[in-house]
Amino acid sequence: MSSNATDGTTGLVYLAHATPGDLPPPLTPERVLTGWVFEPLPWLFAVTVAAVYLYGVYRLRARGDQWSRWRTVSFVGLGLGSFIVATGSSLAAYDTVLLSVHMVQHMVLNMVVPIFLALGAPITLALRTLPRRPRGWLLSVLHSRLAKVLTFPVYAGVVFVINPFALYFTPLYEATLRNALLHDLNHIHFVLVGCLWFWPLLGLDPMPRQWAYPIRLLAVFATLPFHAWMGVAIMSAHRLIAEDWYLNLGREWGPSPLEDQRIAGGILWSWGDIVGVIIFMVLFAQWVRSSEREAQRIDRQLDRMEAAEAATRARAAQAHHIQDEKA
């Protein structure tokens, strides 16, 4: 059942799943910030996951081990925080009313949330804090054939790219607008597809397949055009996506449905490219640092080998000298 919140200014009701006849008030800059709804399940999920993560950090530090504060902030504050914003703010109040708002919500759930969850390295935290048996179960999952298939670069990339095409260019999107359960499951789907792509791409957690940096950069570069193509296709379309739904809403404020759709296409185009370029630069910087660390490691190894060879030569020379003295 949809949850709601009251607009104290107009007395109207914000619905977490607005439908024809139950529309929120006109979207204004003020309501972008104040148009919150309360959906129990997203909050329960976010609070539970945050509590488990923070308990793991507490256990780790209680035994004297260190854990990066940045990782905690990334996972709890930015990752789960973005999830709450996407499912409880004005993005949730207007996501079935304006395609442009839905598209921002889509981008947050599909890109922002997974990226920051991945930067929190929760699998690494779990492996360092779980008891022996649960840790063994987790390792079994990570090394399973299914996990290897799901994290295969080609498979993960195809799923990430095909996902928006399969949603917006089929009747599936309108079905999610008409069915509240499908609508909520679609939110979860966005996050899972994003995690499937960004988790092995960023590579902070142990994965069944550790992608080499050239493969990661190539993968990001290969997926960049698809968001642009999708955005341009939506912007240039002369027919509405989910036409029956948007024409029957009865919305009399804001941009026309077709203009709103063009705005949504522009958001998809620009946001996808911006995030892709940022990830590309981050991965390139990680590659450079990794190469520097590898070079330092090799230098130290060579130094140890030279020292060992020098010691061996010194012992051989000393033994030879002793033999000469005895002779």
Side-chain angles (χ1 to χ4, degrees):
M1 181 177 295
S2 296
S3 303
N4 57 67
T6 301
D7 180 0
T9 303
T10 65
L12 297 176
V13 174
Y14 289 94
L15 296 174
H17 187 86
T19 58
D22 288 312
L23 295 180
L27 183 59
T28 63
E30 179 184 359
R31 290 192 178 109
V32 169
L33 301 176
T34 61
W36 283 73
V37 299
F38 178 70
E39 284 242 69
L41 289 180
W43 277 94
L44 179 62
F45 169 79
V47 170
T48 302
V49 173
V52 172
Y53 186 94
L54 292 174
Y55 178 68
V57 174
Y58 166 77
R59 285 195 58 187
L60 202 63
R61 291 181 174 172
R63 69 186 190 203
D65 293 336
Q66 297 297 316
W67 186 254
S68 169
R69 287 188 176 89
W70 163 243
R71 288 186 176 183
T72 303
V73 171
S74 294
F75 189 89
V76 177
L78 300 176
L80 295 176
S82 297
F83 177 77
I84 289 298
V85 169
T87 57
S89 70
S90 57
L91 295 179
Y94 292 87
D95 65 346
T96 60
V97 180
L98 294 167
L99 181 59
S100 56
V101 172
H102 163 84
M103 198 61 71
V104 174
Q105 183 190 57
H106 176 166
M107 294 292 100
V108 172
L109 290 171
N110 194 228
M111 293 187 172
V112 177
V113 173
I115 287 173
F116 285 116
L117 291 181
L119 291 176
I123 296 177
T124 300
L125 179 63
L127 291 174
R128 293 180 63 183
T129 56
L130 284 173
R132 181 176 180 180
R133 181 172 294 181
R135 183 167 61 249
W137 294 340
L138 178 57
L139 287 171
S140 297
V141 172
L142 288 175
H143 293 100
S144 66
R145 180 173 297 181
L146 177 61
K148 290 179 180 179
V149 171
L150 292 177
T151 56
F152 184 62
V154 175
Y155 178 84
V158 168
V159 171
F160 183 73
V161 166
I162 292 297
N163 179 55
F165 288 90
L167 176 65
Y168 297 115
F169 290 158
T170 68
L172 181 59
Y173 176 61
E174 186 163 353
T176 66
L177 296 174
R178 296 185 179 280
N179 187 294
L181 177 59
L182 283 178
H183 187 75
D184 292 338
L185 290 176
N186 194 36
H187 293 165
I188 298 173
H189 174 74
F190 283 147
V191 176
L192 292 179
V193 170
C195 288
L196 184 67
W197 176 243
F198 287 109
W199 223 296
L201 191 67
L202 293 173
L204 296 185
D205 273 324
M207 286 283 135
R209 299 179 184 273
Q210 294 294 337
W211 302 2
Y213 278 105
I215 297 298
R216 299 185 200 183
L217 292 171
L218 181 61
V220 174
F221 185 77
T223 58
L224 278 177
F226 289 97
H227 280 99
W229 293 343
M230 181 76 180
V232 170
I234 292 176
M235 291 172 66
S236 58
H238 297 292
R239 184 170 180 177
L240 288 174
I241 296 172
E243 185 175 34
D244 291 342
W245 173 267
Y246 287 114
L247 291 181
N248 293 326
L249 270 180
R251 176 173 59 86
E252 298 178 351
W253 47 265
S256 69
L258 191 57
E259 181 62 26
D260 179 56
Q261 180 169 296
R262 289 171 181 156
I263 295 172
I267 291 170
L268 178 61
W269 178 8
S270 60
W271 196 321
D273 283 354
I274 290 171
V275 172
V277 170
I278 291 174
I279 293 295
F280 189 90
M281 292 189 296
V282 168
L283 288 176
F284 186 79
Q286 287 182 346
W287 188 13
V288 171
R289 289 198 296 269
S290 176
S291 299
E292 291 175 349
R293 289 194 298 268
E294 181 65 14
Q296 292 173 357
R297 186 189 67 81
I298 293 175
D299 287 344
R300 290 194 297 269
Q301 184 177 7
L302 291 175
D303 290 342
R304 289 194 296 268
M305 292 174 61
E306 290 177 359
E309 290 176 0
T312 300
R313 289 194 297 268
R315 287 193 297 269
Q318 184 177 12
H320 183 71
H321 179 70
I322 292 173
Q323 288 178 355
D324 288 344
E325 288 182 345
K326 289 181 178 180

